[in-house]
């Protein structure tokens, strides 16, 4: 049985350390062979758009575009439906591989057997 990790990141450039920690933990988990689902909510929603991660800077942190690339290669990134709607982000706007889904899917993933959920 494989352990799964669901991470919800609520912070963006408004709380850069918390944001970076969420992406870093997710990327390390993927690299360790863990099945990862990263959810973008709140201010982190903007990172679903092409080029936005490149604008993020935090000293001594891995570049956010690299972390996103590793997550898309080995995990899943989901943008919250309501968060997308509030920012007028549609499926045609997001980075290829990012899906938009709602709370029902988040709850389903979080409560699955052998799953750990984290919120940043």
């Amino acid at each position: 049985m494989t352990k799964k990790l669901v991470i919800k990141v609520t912070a963006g450039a408004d709380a850069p350390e918390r944001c970076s920690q969420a992406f870093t933990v997710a990327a390390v988990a993927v690299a360790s062979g863990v099945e990862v689902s990263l959810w973008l909510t709140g201010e982190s929603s903007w990172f679903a758009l092409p080029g936005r991660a490149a604008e993020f800077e935090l000293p001594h942190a891995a570049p956010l575009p690299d972390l996103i690339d590793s997550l898309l290669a080995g995990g899943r990134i989901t943008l919250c439906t309501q968060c997308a709607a509030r920012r007028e982000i549609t499926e045609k706007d997001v980075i290829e591989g990012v899906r938009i889904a709602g709370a029902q899917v988040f709850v389903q993933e979080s409560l699955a057997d052998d799953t750990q959920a984290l919120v940043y």
Side-chain angles (χ1 to χ4, degrees), residues 1 4 6 17 28 33 44 50 57 81 83 101 106-107 115:
M1 243 178 255
K4 299 173 196 132
V6 177
E17 287 184 297
V28 167
S44 71
E57 292 185 15
T81 302
C83 299
F106 177 78
V107 170
T115 301

Side-chain angles (χ1 to χ4, degrees), residues 86 97 100:
R86 280 190 282 277
I100 297 177

Side-chain angles (χ1 to χ4, degrees), residues 46-103:
W46 296 113
F47 298 127
L49 297 174
R52 286 295 184 100
E55 298 170 6
F56 181 86
E57 292 185 15
L58 181 64
H60 309 290
L64 201 54
D66 294 349
L67 297 174
I68 290 173
D69 287 347
S70 70
L71 287 165
L72 288 171
R76 173 182 289 153
I77 298 178
T78 305
L79 172 60
C80 161
T81 302
Q82 290 181 9
C83 299
R86 280 190 282 277
R87 290 160 180 81
E88 299 181 357
I89 300 172
T90 67
E91 288 185 358
K92 67 178 177 58
D93 300 318
V94 299
I95 297 167
E96 186 177 340
V98 172
R99 70 175 177 167
I100 297 177

Side-chain angles (χ1 to χ4, degrees), residues 1-18:
M1 243 178 255
T2 303
K3 185 83 171 173
K4 299 173 196 132
L5 185 60
V6 177
I7 298 175
K8 180 183 273 194
V9 55
T10 63
D14 59 324
E17 287 184 297
R18 189 162 30 111

